[in-house]
Amino acid sequence: DALRREADAVGGGAVAVPCDLRYDAAVAAAVSRVAAAFGGAPDVLVNNAGAFTVAPVAETPPADFVAALEANLVGPFRLVRALLPAMLARGGGHVVTVGSIADRSVFPGNGAYAASKHGLRAFHEVLRAELRGTGVRASLVSPGPVDTPLWDPLDPDNREGFTPRAQMLAAAAVADAIRYVVSAPAEVNVDELRLSRA
């Protein structure tokens, strides 16, 4: 329902395609729906799905650690793996990976999230090296804290050491940065863009 509301708000033929990134079959079905709706593979993939929990390493259940890797690292890999062949065959496209300040910095209680985002940054670097000269671009956009519903269970305004929501980046600002990255001239690749609140 949330995806459909967003698609309706965007307009212009936007289509909501729910997908559980933990499953290859679900990703394949979603890619088929996108191809059917738009006549082929997309020109741009923005990998922005993610999960975030806070717990000390000694208190993090292994299942939560695996879930963070599935959502933040394996899911993006599945989407790239599903969509990249068509981009390569076409000789053009753009893969934008949304990282985090946690893909370079570490914070207490961030064991699962930081591990997944560091891995995602490494995956992006490998992808960028492999795509050089193919016409397909790869960019990493790494924002600091962004005010999204991801924070709702954590209530950062009332937790010591957390950025208050009023001091976080707006989601629209991150979207503008992604628009900048994908609208760069074809001969320009924005390798990495790090964002912070001014």
Side-chain angles (χ1 to χ4, degrees):
D1 290 342
L3 283 175
R4 287 186 189 94
R5 285 193 300 273
E6 291 297 326
D8 290 343
V10 169
V15 177
V17 182
C19 179
D20 189 332
L21 296 178
R22 294 174 298 173
Y23 303 104
D24 292 336
V27 171
V31 168
S32 293
R33 284 190 61 197
V34 169
F38 297 103
D43 297 318
V44 177
L45 166 64
V46 179
N47 262 321
N48 189 41
F52 178 64
T53 56
V54 175
V57 170
E59 299 171 17
T60 300
D64 288 0
F65 191 88
V66 170
L69 292 176
E70 280 283 345
N72 300 334
L73 179 57
V74 181
F77 166 80
R78 284 190 174 101
L79 281 173
V80 169
R81 181 65 185 85
L83 295 171
L84 187 57
M87 291 181 178
L88 289 169
R90 189 173 57 226
H94 204 139
V95 177
V96 179
T97 300
V98 179
S100 164
I101 188 174
D103 65 29
R104 289 194 178 272
S105 302
V106 295
F107 304 95
N110 242 10
Y113 186 73
S116 65
K117 288 296 187 176
H118 271 73
L120 188 62
R121 179 168 52 88
F123 173 64
H124 159 74
E125 292 293 345
V126 170
L127 185 63
R128 189 168 58 85
E130 291 180 354
L131 294 178
R132 192 171 289 116
T134 66
V136 180
R137 299 185 288 180
S139 300
L140 176 67
V141 176
S142 294
V146 181
D147 187 11
T148 70
L150 193 74
W151 292 102
D152 291 349
L154 297 172
D155 190 17
D157 290 336
N158 295 301
R159 289 183 74 151
E160 186 177 344
F162 283 73
T163 303
R165 292 182 92 145
Q167 296 175 19
M168 293 181 181
L169 289 162
V174 178
D176 284 343
I178 293 169
R179 185 181 301 111
Y180 162 77
V181 166
V182 299
S183 63
E187 68 273 14
V188 174
N189 191 73
V190 179
D191 298 338
E192 180 175 352
L193 185 61
R194 298 171 73 180
L195 310 175
S196 61
R197 176 72 183 256

